[in-house]
């Protein structure tokens, strides 16, 4: 059976206990090494941040964790409800910050601003709140972007993509689901369609134009297994789908990298001045 | 020969040689209390692994103070530790040093510093050019540093050179998290069990733990007997001291039952290799690519 024919859950199957153990240790190690004892993250009511919340709860004592719920007026009521259910279940300290006044004030003079601009602004407002809490509490910001989003560039630069450490960035959405089930994430969160929740009734799959299962299968074959375009098409992937996804990955590379610097000196940051991120920790 | 070994499954502090030297001394004391004759540290135990440009800052000669401090600890028990070695010609090597009685007995420079995928060792480290077994503590040892063991020529040469105990200091990253154990651990166990059985040797696999730049090292250090059985192994992800006895009788029995070493026709191997070598590197050869 080719990777195109195998059930996606099987093709992308991971060992949830092992992955959870590694992510938990990763969090503990990278956070404490950086001289921090606390972590802060945004909790949206979606599956990715729910998994991060569960991992944090395994890695740290409750008093070292802060989950921040940051609804906007158009956010689905179920998002806040599901996020609250989770913090109650995990007994996590949390805070609710309504970002409506900040975002609306920003666009007060520009009522015609596009949904893209508004969505970006919301994502960046949430980032601002998290980094403010980071400075206030001496807490490291934990990222909640998964591998599918990172590869597709389905996120806002300096918005939801911003964080200090990200335990789930090497897991595809399909794998996040496996981990979430293992961690006991509530049914309501597991079952709902993934959504950036930036406007009413938005869903990721509708906006992207394909399902996570379809794109995860392709990305896994393309990125992890390094199949060529010809192999992928021979296997049964539609050529237009392959090209569209490959293009998305390519054009969004900038979101995954620090800004490019004009090289002028003998030793340029990121080019030939290369130290580990964990330098001096 | 009776030999009790202690494999130190440690988590080095990245780029902090002084701190790591201190920890080495501490581990040696602990291993000494457990009756160990030989204490084995993982790859680059004095520096940590994902160094990048820190390699330059961490490079030391055997005369440097922190390195001397560790070598001095070998008055208590023999020690094998890993360091970024700075040669007289100012080339950096990923080296493993065997010290005994306060003196360096043998030094191995990694022959295959990997430079592909997630690895970039050759960007910083020179390539070792010597593969030799050496005698110490009444036995004969061979050292392979991590990737060295992925080239079967290395254990082959060491076994031919009389090694009865192969030591593999490692910094093996955990990936992928698919099966019951991480994929890399499964692959390693398969390799070391095969080597132990085919070469009739003990294999001591000392792998580090900890996380560097998001990369988790899984540990799972192991002692494999000459029948290819894992006689003792350390837990994954946790710091640990794995203590095991190397049993000379097991070496004798395995080699009498299956005398592969006796039957090895080194002359055939060398003759055929010279033929291949001449074709590949001789006069007018298309250098390098065998295909």
């Amino acid at each position: 059976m080719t990777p195109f024919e195998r059930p996606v859950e099987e093709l992308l199957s991971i060992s949830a206990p092992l992955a959870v153990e590694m992510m938990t240790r990763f969090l503990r190690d990278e956070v404490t090494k950086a001289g921090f004892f606390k972590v802060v993250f945004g909790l949206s009511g979606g599956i990715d941040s729910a998994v991060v919340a569960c991992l944090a709860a395994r890695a740290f004592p409750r008093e070292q964790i802060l989950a921040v719920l940051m609804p906007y007026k158009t956010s689905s009521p179920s998002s806040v409800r599901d996020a609250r259910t989770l913090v109650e279940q995990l007994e996590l300290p949390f805070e609710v910050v309504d970002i409506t006044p900040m975002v609306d004030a920003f666009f007060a003079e520009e009522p015609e601003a596009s949904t893209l601009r508004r969505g970006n602004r919301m994502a960046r407002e949430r980032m601002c709140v998290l980094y403010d809490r980071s400075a206030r509490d001496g807490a490291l910001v934990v990222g909640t972007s998964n591998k599918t989003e990172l590869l597709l560039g389905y996120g806002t630069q300096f918005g939801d993509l911003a964080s200090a450490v990200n335990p789930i960035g090497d897991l595809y959405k399909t794998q996040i689901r496996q981990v979430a089930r293992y961690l006991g994430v509530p049914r309501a969160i597991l079952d709902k369609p993934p959504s950036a929740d930036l406007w009413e009734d938005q869903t990721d799959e509708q906006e992207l134009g394909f399902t996570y299962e379809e794109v995860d299968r392709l990305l896994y074959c393309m990125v992890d297994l390094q199949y060529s375009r010809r192999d992928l098409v021979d296997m049964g992937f539609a050529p237009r789908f392959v090209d569209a996804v490959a293009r998305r990955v390519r054009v969004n590379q900038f979101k995954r990298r620090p800004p490019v610097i004009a090289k002028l000196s003998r030793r340029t940051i990121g080019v030939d001045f290369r130290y580990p991120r964990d330098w001096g920790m | 020969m009776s030999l009790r070994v202690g494999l130190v499954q440690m988590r080095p502090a990245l780029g902090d040689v002084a701190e790591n030297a201190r920890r080495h001394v501490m581990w040696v004391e602990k291993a000494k209390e457990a009756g160990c004759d030989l204490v084995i540290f993982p790859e680059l135990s004095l520096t940590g692994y994902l160094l990048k440009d820190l390699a330059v800052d961490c490079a030391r000669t055997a005369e440097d103070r922190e390195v001397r401090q560790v070598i001095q600890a070998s008055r208590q028990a023999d020690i094998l530790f890993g360091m970024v070695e700075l040669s007289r010609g100012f080339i950096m090597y990923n080296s493993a040093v065997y010290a005994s009685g306060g003196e360096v007995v043998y030094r191995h420079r990694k022959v295959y510093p990997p430079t592909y995928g997630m690895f970039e060792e050759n960007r910083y480290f020179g390539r070792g050019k010597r593969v030799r077994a050496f005698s110490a503590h009444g036995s004969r040892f061979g050292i392979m540093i991590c990737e060295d063991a992925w080239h079967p020529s290395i254990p082959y040469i060491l076994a031919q050179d009389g090694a009865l105990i192969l030591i593999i200091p490692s910094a093996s990253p955990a990936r992928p998290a698919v099966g019951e154990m991480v994929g890399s651990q499964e692959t390693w166990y398969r390799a070391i069990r095969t080597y132990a059985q085919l070469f009739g040797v003990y294999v001591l696999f000392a792998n580090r733990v900890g996380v560097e730049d998001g990369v988790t090292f899984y540990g799972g250090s192991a002692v494999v007997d000459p029948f290819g059985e894992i006689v003792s192994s350390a837990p994954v992800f946790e710091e640990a001291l794995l203590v095991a006895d190397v049993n000379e009788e097991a070496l004798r029995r395995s080699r009498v039952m299956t005398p592969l070493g006796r039957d090895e026709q080194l002359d055939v191997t060398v003759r055929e290799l010279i033929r291949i070598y001449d074709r590949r590197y001789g006069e007018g050869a298309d250098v390098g690519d065998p295909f």
Side-chain angles (χ1 to χ4, degrees):
Chain A
M1 232 195 296
T2 70
F4 184 74
E5 291 155 345
R6 288 175 66 189
V8 70
E9 287 264 320
E10 182 196 305
L11 179 67
L12 275 82
S13 84
I14 57 156
S15 161
L18 195 51
V20 164
E21 167 134 37
M22 286 174 68
M23 291 185 285
T24 308
R25 285 174 183 276
F26 160 87
L27 272 180
R28 222 179 273 141
D29 201 297
E30 294 288 5
V31 170
T32 52
K33 208 160 46 183
F36 286 81
F37 296 99
K38 294 185 175 177
V39 291
V40 59
F41 51 87
L43 193 69
S44 67
I47 193 167
D48 298 319
S49 57
V51 164
V52 168
C54 294
L55 293 172
R58 284 176 176 242
F60 305 104
R62 296 293 181 273
E63 62 276 14
Q64 290 171 223
I65 303 171
L66 177 62
V68 189
L69 285 59
M70 295 170 282
Y72 179 69
K73 66 187 177 195
T74 58
S75 295
S76 151
S78 70
S79 298
V80 179
R81 195 174 59 232
D82 293 341
R84 277 184 181 273
T85 308
L86 186 71
V87 288
E88 277 160 26
Q89 181 182 313
L90 295 171
E91 297 173 357
L92 291 186
F94 72 100
E95 227 178 89
V96 182
V97 180
D98 181 3
I99 61 166
T100 309
M102 297 83 117
V103 174
D104 284 358
F106 189 83
F107 288 114
E109 306 294 319
E110 292 189 82
E112 76 292 353
S114 66
T115 47
L116 173 73
R117 287 176 63 196
R118 287 175 187 277
N120 280 340
R121 188 67 189 80
M122 289 174 216
R124 292 191 179 118
E125 186 55 47
R126 292 186 175 116
M127 178 276 293
C128 286
V129 172
L130 291 177
Y131 275 85
D132 173 68
R133 298 316 191 250
S134 167
R136 187 192 68 189
D137 298 349
L140 213 55
V141 176
V142 180
T144 55
S145 301
N146 64 54
K147 190 172 185 174
T148 310
E149 289 173 341
L150 289 171
L151 285 171
L152 296 175
Y154 191 58
T156 300
Q157 197 182 24
F158 312 120
D160 53 306
L161 296 181
S163 71
V165 293
N166 179 352
I168 62 164
D170 206 14
L171 289 178
Y172 290 105
K173 191 76 169 187
T174 316
Q175 296 173 320
I176 295 275
R177 287 176 181 149
Q178 297 172 38
V179 169
R181 279 197 296 271
Y182 170 75
L183 288 168
V185 167
R187 207 59 276 155
I189 295 176
L190 286 175
D191 289 344
K192 73 171 130 187
S195 169
D197 202 16
L198 296 172
W199 52 86
E200 279 170 83
D201 298 327
Q202 181 192 24
T203 72
D204 294 358
E205 294 182 340
Q206 175 194 16
E207 200 183 0
L208 288 164
F210 39 72
T211 68
Y212 275 114
E213 293 202 351
E214 287 167 333
V215 79
D216 279 358
R217 179 196 300 280
L218 175 59
L219 286 170
Y220 182 73
C221 289
M222 216 156 70
V223 176
D224 292 53
L225 302 181
Q226 294 185 272
Y227 279 107
S228 68
R229 181 183 185 280
R230 179 193 283 185
D231 288 336
L232 295 167
V233 172
D234 284 352
M235 240 183 259
F237 288 104
R240 284 178 59 185
F241 181 46
V242 174
D243 293 339
V245 170
R247 185 176 177 282
R248 263 204 92 123
V249 173
R250 199 170 61 239
V251 301
N252 283 299
Q253 171 72 350
F254 75 97
K255 292 191 185 178
R256 296 183 290 264
R257 306 287 305 170
V260 57
I261 292 175
K263 184 168 176 62
L264 299 171
S265 74
R266 283 177 201 280
R267 236 179 142 202
T268 308
I269 295 158
V271 179
D272 31 29
F273 177 85
R274 303 181 175 220
Y275 281 85
R277 166 70 195 251
D278 288 359
W279 186 15
M281 289 184 179
Chain B
M1 173 208 53
S2 100
L3 181 69
R4 175 166 289 187
V5 296
L7 279 58
V8 179
Q9 184 167 296
M10 72 181 296
R11 171 185 179 277
L14 186 63
D16 192 342
V17 178
E19 168 63 16
N20 287 322
R22 198 185 61 77
R23 292 188 196 173
H24 276 62
V25 174
M26 203 188 71
W27 280 107
V28 171
E29 280 165 11
K30 201 169 167 185
K32 179 72 182 170
E33 278 168 28
C36 295
D37 307 297
L38 168 58
V39 190
I40 298 164
F41 290 89
E43 176 179 20
L44 293 176
S45 55
L46 211 49
T47 60
Y49 182 73
L50 288 172
L51 293 163
K52 296 181 183 261
D53 284 5
L54 270 175
V56 180
D57 308 331
C58 290
R60 299 284 188 279
T61 67
E63 286 74 46
D64 272 294
R65 195 174 49 83
E66 295 115 334
V67 183
R68 288 301 314 165
Q69 191 187 342
V70 178
I71 293 170
Q72 282 305 313
S74 72
R75 291 180 188 282
Q76 297 206 56
D78 288 9
I79 301 176
L80 181 105
F81 66 97
M83 63 181 285
V84 177
E85 181 205 350
L86 189 64
S87 78
R88 288 187 197 285
F90 304 105
I91 296 171
M92 293 185 289
Y93 292 98
N94 178 340
S95 293
V97 176
Y98 188 107
S100 179
E103 300 292 334
V104 173
V105 172
Y106 188 77
R107 177 206 62 212
H108 173 72
R109 291 172 172 168
K110 193 173 188 175
V111 176
Y112 291 106
T115 306
Y116 59 82
M118 61 178 295
F119 304 108
E120 47 186 26
E121 286 187 39
N122 217 176
R123 184 181 161 89
Y124 300 98
F125 303 136
R127 289 185 290 179
K129 295 288 181 187
R130 279 184 190 197
V131 182
R132 304 207 177 156
F134 62 97
S135 298
H137 213 285
S139 190
R140 200 155 167 82
F141 297 89
I143 302 170
M144 312 187 261
I145 304 176
C146 209
E147 185 88 358
D148 283 342
W150 285 58
H151 294 259
S153 53
I154 305 282
Y156 177 82
I157 294 167
L158 292 172
Q160 289 306 301
D161 207 14
L164 297 171
I165 300 168
L166 296 180
I167 306 176
I168 312 177
S170 287
S172 173
R175 81 262 183 236
V178 173
E180 267 182 39
M181 55 169 74
V182 287
S184 38
Q185 185 182 12
E186 204 175 309
T187 311
W188 262 108
Y189 277 17
R190 208 182 303 138
I192 59 180
R193 292 186 59 180
T194 305
Y195 289 153
Q197 187 171 21
L198 295 188
F199 296 121
V201 295
Y202 267 94
V203 177
L204 314 177
F205 173 64
N207 191 33
R208 58 160 292 180
V209 289
V211 181
E212 289 174 358
D213 275 14
V215 174
T216 302
F217 301 92
Y218 56 82
S221 299
V223 174
V224 190
D225 75 11
F227 298 98
E229 296 303 322
I230 294 175
V231 289
S232 192
S233 63
V236 282
F237 305 128
E238 302 274 0
E239 282 202 318
L241 174 69
L242 179 67
V243 178
D245 290 310
V246 168
N247 182 351
E248 190 167 36
E249 188 54 16
L251 283 166
R252 185 191 69 80
R253 284 173 51 239
S254 82
R255 287 174 168 237
V256 168
M257 281 185 214
T258 318
L260 300 176
R262 182 198 69 192
D263 294 349
E264 182 61 31
Q265 298 195 64
L266 185 59
D267 55 329
V268 175
T269 307
V270 171
R271 198 166 53 242
E272 294 301 330
L273 284 177
I274 288 174
R275 176 183 61 78
I276 296 164
Y277 177 89
D278 284 344
R279 195 182 60 200
R280 201 184 299 177
Y281 300 105
E283 195 86 19
D286 186 6
V287 174
D289 192 341
F291 308 107

